[in-house]
């Protein structure tokens, strides 16, 4: 606290005009959040001039690190030429073509301003296409704040979030993540419009779906006519150029994107998939507004976001070494911290795939999100978060930590994180 008086003052001020002092509650941590003055690469600086190694990385949007020069450069150019015009332009076509090329299950795509919005439109699109009502989501999965999907995010899963009505979620079916048997049975006995799944649960603790789980979903959807929706807001263009679906070898009908699609710097969401499904949005095919599925938005596909997204994705397509670097660091972090838990006989587990890393202070390995959420030692997580912060490292979030590794992170950054974590494990051992 002695080194962050500026943040303390700003938080005090923020609380007077912003509920809770923050615009997204997960950004709050004790005793007050940091107020940022600058961000570059893997580093951020607070208003008091302290430097931090950042693994929060703009909620995972920054696969190349902060202020990636080619993205900033193209953004600067379009700031001069026109940022948001409200009419079509070539850049949205370029980005759409780029996404379709990198993610083969996506034949057509539409842009939104957030992942929440994209998921919301996909619920409607799936219901419009299948003429069915029920949607499936999984315990602990997070698809943004849209009512029909904003349920069973945190335990107790059956409890509704204040303001979400029973009517809004009456057609949402909650099923356990990574549980093949129950899920297969429940999908087959219903008339489901769409199954929404995060191939790697992000906010739920970087818990990967098992390959069998995703295959089971694919088969159950094929056999029943439900659409399989992969929410790749986190995993898209991060786990591989083709996202999680490329790694798992399972093709969804619709994919939802966000974060990286805006160049990591600008607000964005997108959804795309089979042309036959996406064509329900086509005003040419369906001239009556009542016969087509609505999607739009004042700032959707604005020039700045499209230019930044196209620049980043076209580069990622050509630079496999980026994936080698971030995945290697992620694997090393998981492996070495797991070894430290064993060496010091402290209970803890590492999860994730590639550059998505989760740490869990649970008594057993969290193979599903429920275990991670219900069995975690909350106090220990808070202590770890504080320990990292005191060592000028930022992880996401205070309640349970995960790490987004970017191409800017170095081997030295990682070794420092591992050393700082070992110090923590040793302290915990003697508690
Ligand atoms: C898997 C997933 N889906 C959807 C969202 C919501 O996206 P946004 O915050 O852009 O609305 C998030 C946000 O982190 C996410 O992680």
């Amino acid at each position: 606290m002695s080194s962050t008086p500026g943040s303390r003052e700003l938080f005090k001020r923020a609380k007077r005009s912003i509920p809770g002092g923050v615009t997204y509650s997960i950004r709050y941590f004790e005793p007050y959040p940091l107020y940022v003055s600058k961000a570059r690469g893997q580093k951020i600086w607070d208003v008091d001039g302290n430097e931090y190694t950042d693994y929060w990385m703009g909620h995972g949007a920054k696969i190349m690190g902060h202020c990636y020069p080619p993205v900033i450069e193209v953004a600067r150019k379009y700031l001069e030429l026109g940022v948001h015009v409200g009419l079509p332009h070539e850049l949205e076509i370029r980005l759409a073509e780029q996404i379709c090329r990198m993610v083969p299950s996506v034949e057509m795509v539409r842009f939104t301003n957030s992942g929440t919005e994209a998921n919301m439109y996909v619920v409607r699109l799936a219901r419009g296409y299948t003429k069915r009502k029920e949607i499936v989501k999984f315990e602990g999965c997070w698809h943004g704040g849209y009512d029909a999907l904003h349920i069973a995010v945190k335990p107790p899963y059956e409890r509704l979030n204040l303001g979400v009505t029973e009517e809004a979620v009456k057609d949402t079916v909650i099923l356990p993540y990574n549980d093949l048997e129950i899920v297969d049975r429940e999908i087959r006995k219903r008339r489901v419009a769409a199954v929404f799944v995060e191939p790697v649960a992000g906010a739920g603790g970087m818990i990967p779906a098992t390959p069998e789980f995703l295959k089971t979903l694919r088969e159950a959807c094929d056999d029943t006519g439900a659409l399989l929706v992969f929410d790749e807001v986190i995993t898209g263009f991060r786990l591989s150029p083709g996202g999680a679906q490329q790694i798992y070898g399972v093709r969804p009908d619709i994919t939802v994107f966000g974060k990286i699609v805006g160049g990591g710097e600008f607000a964005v969401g997108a959804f795309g998939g089979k042309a036959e499904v996406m064509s329900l949005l086509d005003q040419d095919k369906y001239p009556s507004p009542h016969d087509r599925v609505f999607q739009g938005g004042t700032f959707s596909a604005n020039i700045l976001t499209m230019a930044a997204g196209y620049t980043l994705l076209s580069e990622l397509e050509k630079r496999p070494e980026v994936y080698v670097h971030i995945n290697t660091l992620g694997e090393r972090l998981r492996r070495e911290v797991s070894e430290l838990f064993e060496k010091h006989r402290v209970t803890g587990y590492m999860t994730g795939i590639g550059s998505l890393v989760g740490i869990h202070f649970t008594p057993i390995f969290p193979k599903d999100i429920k275990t991670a959420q219900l069995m975690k030692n909350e106090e220990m997580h808070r202590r770890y978060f504080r320990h990292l912060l005191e060592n000028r490292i930022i992880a996401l979030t205070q309640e349970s930590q995960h790490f987004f590794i970017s191409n800017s992170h170095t081997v030295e950054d990682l070794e420092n994180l591992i050393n700082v974590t070992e110090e923590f494990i040793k302290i915990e051992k003697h508690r």
Side-chain angles (χ1 to χ4, degrees), residues 97-331:
E97 289 168 347
Q98 183 69 33
I99 293 172
C100 294
R101 199 165 49 243
M102 290 172 83
V103 189
S105 72
V106 176
E107 294 168 359
M108 300 187 110
V109 62
R110 277 271 182 114
F111 297 103
T112 65
N113 296 298
S114 69
T116 297
E117 253 182 82
N119 274 303
M120 173 182 82
Y121 286 124
V122 173
V123 169
R124 186 181 299 161
L125 179 62
R127 285 174 170 162
Y129 178 76
T130 59
K131 311 267 189 309
R132 300 175 181 179
K133 288 184 188 168
E134 286 192 333
I135 53 172
V136 166
K137 88 167 278 283
F138 296 97
E139 289 171 339
C141 275
W142 167 240
H143 304 289
Y146 171 54
D147 285 28
L149 291 166
H150 193 66
I151 178 175
V153 177
K154 294 260 164 73
Y157 296 129
E158 59 288 351
R159 197 160 157 207
L160 290 186
N161 192 231
L162 185 65
V164 174
T165 61
E166 275 169 25
E167 288 75 15
V169 292
K170 91 174 167 20
D171 295 312
T172 306
V173 179
I174 312 299
L175 296 179
Y177 196 73
N178 272 345
D179 188 323
L180 275 58
E181 222 170 279
I182 296 182
V183 163
D184 189 58
R185 190 181 65 226
E186 291 298 318
I187 293 174
R188 286 176 191 280
K189 76 177 195 209
R190 296 165 188 277
R191 282 176 46 78
V192 173
V195 175
F196 284 75
V197 66
E198 285 182 88
V200 179
M206 303 298 189
I207 312 279
T210 61
E212 301 72 40
F213 181 61
L214 295 184
K215 283 196 192 105
T216 301
L217 295 183
R218 182 66 277 173
E219 281 166 20
C221 286
D222 283 342
D223 293 349
T224 58
L227 297 181
L228 180 58
V229 181
F230 276 10
D231 182 341
E232 294 226 40
V233 168
I234 286 182
T235 53
F237 310 102
R238 174 177 278 281
L239 291 189
S240 76
Q245 54 197 271
Q246 182 182 329
I247 289 181
Y248 281 93
V250 176
R251 260 173 110 104
D253 299 300
I254 301 285
T255 306
V256 179
F257 301 102
K259 304 196 193 273
I260 291 175
V261 174
E265 298 289 346
F266 301 104
V268 79
F271 60 98
K274 286 184 174 165
E276 186 193 327
V277 181
M278 293 299 286
S279 67
L280 276 181
L281 298 149
D282 184 338
Q283 71 290 334
D284 217 23
K285 276 196 183 144
Y286 302 99
S288 162
H290 300 292
D291 292 339
R292 67 173 183 266
V293 173
F294 172 80
Q295 183 261 327
T298 301
F299 285 93
S300 296
N302 71 78
I303 296 175
L304 193 62
T305 305
M306 297 297 103
Y310 173 70
T311 302
L312 181 57
L313 294 198
S314 51
E315 197 164 311
L316 288 174
E317 188 186 22
K318 289 185 248 119
R319 292 190 53 192
E321 75 276 10
V322 168
Y323 294 98
V324 172
H325 178 69
I326 61 176
N327 291 347
T328 305
L329 290 188
E331 274 147 32

Side-chain angles (χ1 to χ4, degrees), residues 339-348 425 429:
E339 285 166 8
L340 291 173
F341 282 131
E342 276 184 29
K343 176 176 153 196
H344 296 293
R345 299 215 167 82
V346 168
T347 312
I425 291 174
K429 188 178 174 176

Side-chain angles (χ1 to χ4, degrees), residues 348-378:
Y349 299 95
M350 302 300 285
T351 60
I353 303 190
S355 59
L356 302 172
V357 182
I359 187 165
H360 300 271
F361 305 127
T362 46
I364 55 169
F365 183 80
K367 72 172 179 33
D368 54 30
I369 313 165
K370 193 176 190 169
T371 307
Q373 291 181 328
L374 281 177
M375 299 184 101
K376 73 177 175 192
N377 182 335
E378 230 163 273

Side-chain angles (χ1 to χ4, degrees), residues 8-75:
R8 186 173 59 227
E9 280 312 302
L10 284 173
F11 183 59
K12 238 197 301 180
R13 190 174 133 206
K15 283 222 289 201
R16 290 197 283 269
S17 55
I18 302 172
V22 285
T23 297
Y24 195 168
S25 290
I26 62 169
R27 291 181 188 161
Y28 169 78
F29 47 80
E30 288 164 350
Y32 44 80
L34 292 175
Y35 283 78
V36 176
S37 64
K38 195 173 92 175
R40 283 282 179 286
Q42 78 280 42
K43 301 285 182 190
I44 61 171
W45 288 264
D46 68 16
V47 290
D48 295 293
N50 302 301
E51 181 183 301
Y52 303 81
T53 304
D54 181 22
Y55 292 94
W56 193 294
M57 280 290 141
H59 299 250
K62 316 265 185 153
I63 190 169
M64 301 302 283
H66 293 289
C67 296
Y68 181 51
V71 169
I72 300 303
E73 222 167 275
V74 78

